[in-house]
Amino acid sequence: MSLIERLTRATVCLHLAPHGLHGVLRRAGRPVPDSAFHLPIANPDASWEVALAALRGWLEQHNEKKLPLAVSLASRWCAMLMVPWSGALLDRSSAQRFLHSQFGAVYGDSARAWRLAADDAPYGMPRLACGIDAALLQGVQDAAAAHGRRCLSIEPIAGPAWRGIAGAKPAAFALVEAGRLLLATSSGGRITALHSQSCAAAWGDELERAWRRWNLRAPQLDAIEQVALIDLSGVPQTNVPERFVPIAVAGAAHLMREAAWA
């Protein structure tokens, strides 16, 4: 790709969540002014099938341009684990067997239907791994292909959230979505540990309790005084503990950056 093409190309960044489809157009790595949108989704059971149907409907209605897509998915549809190092990770087929054994031990038989992937942490180091229902991934890819669009990336929202703040090198961050809370530590430019749980609409009360519960299993958290906070819940809180420092974010889709797929 030439420099001119790289600077002028545009990508539609989408975030698919149980109760809404969020999007923004990015050109040359920057959001285009006034291009953001939000499509509410009536989905009381938080089903990804319902959300996927809404995505298909949006693509059908906005089929005039064939711009490529970058898609992030809500955390409730993405199981994440830190898996220990294994030589099995060096081979593609054995890596899948190893990852399925790790996810199966935590999530049971349901993990068999997931597509699993791990990051490329250095040799001998634990790796961050993610599992997403294979039918959901295929559904997003098929929806894009049906309208002549390339799907440049499909990933959990934790990835764009982390990349969006990694330049500040926080020792830990918290990601809050509607009904879901993710806590993570980082070092050397990588996520090194994480904790995920459900949360109520009054998530401000839950943050410190969740941190303390995690601290019981990970005493090293005692040394972390500040935690970067990314709020994608749509329900602002007035009682956020001082430990958690809010990071201004325009919206979930805005977290997608060109570096993710360049």
Side-chain angles (χ1 to χ4, degrees), residues 180-213:
R180 203 74 197 165
L181 168 62
L182 175 75
L183 300 171
T185 60
S186 64
S187 178
R190 294 182 178 277
I191 294 175
T192 55
L194 55 82
H195 166 79
S196 180
Q197 65 174 69
S198 59
C199 67
W203 55 264
D205 294 327
E206 182 63 22
L207 270 177
E208 187 66 24
R209 291 197 298 269
W211 182 264
R212 290 178 179 176
R213 283 196 298 270

Side-chain angles (χ1 to χ4, degrees), residues 13-64:
C13 299
L14 300 175
H15 175 65
L16 189 61
H19 305 295
L21 174 66
H22 303 259
V24 68
L25 179 66
R26 291 188 79 100
R27 190 184 302 278
R30 296 179 178 276
V32 174
D34 301 321
S35 67
F37 72 89
H38 171 222
L39 173 67
I41 301 174
N43 188 8
D45 295 327
S47 162
W48 63 256
E49 288 93 343
V50 173
L52 182 58
L55 171 62
R56 292 194 189 102
W58 183 87
L59 288 170
E60 181 69 34
Q61 294 175 14
H62 298 81
N63 200 29
E64 64 281 359

Side-chain angles (χ1 to χ4, degrees), residues 171-172 185 211 215 218-227 243:
T185 60
W211 182 264
N215 198 176
Q220 67 271 23
L221 298 182
D222 283 336
I224 299 176
E225 297 181 353
Q226 288 191 337
V227 180
R243 181 196 307 272

Side-chain angles (χ1 to χ4, degrees), residues 216-239:
L216 294 175
R217 306 193 308 272
Q220 67 271 23
L221 298 182
D222 283 336
I224 299 176
E225 297 181 353
Q226 288 191 337
V227 180
L229 171 62
I230 301 174
D231 175 18
L232 301 178
S233 70
V235 186
Q237 308 285 297
T238 59
N239 56 336

Side-chain angles (χ1 to χ4, degrees), residues 94-112:
S94 63
Q96 281 297 298
R97 290 194 295 271
F98 174 73
L99 291 175
H100 272 105
S101 70
Q102 293 293 310
F103 276 81
V106 176
Y107 295 101
D109 289 343
S110 61
R112 294 179 181 179

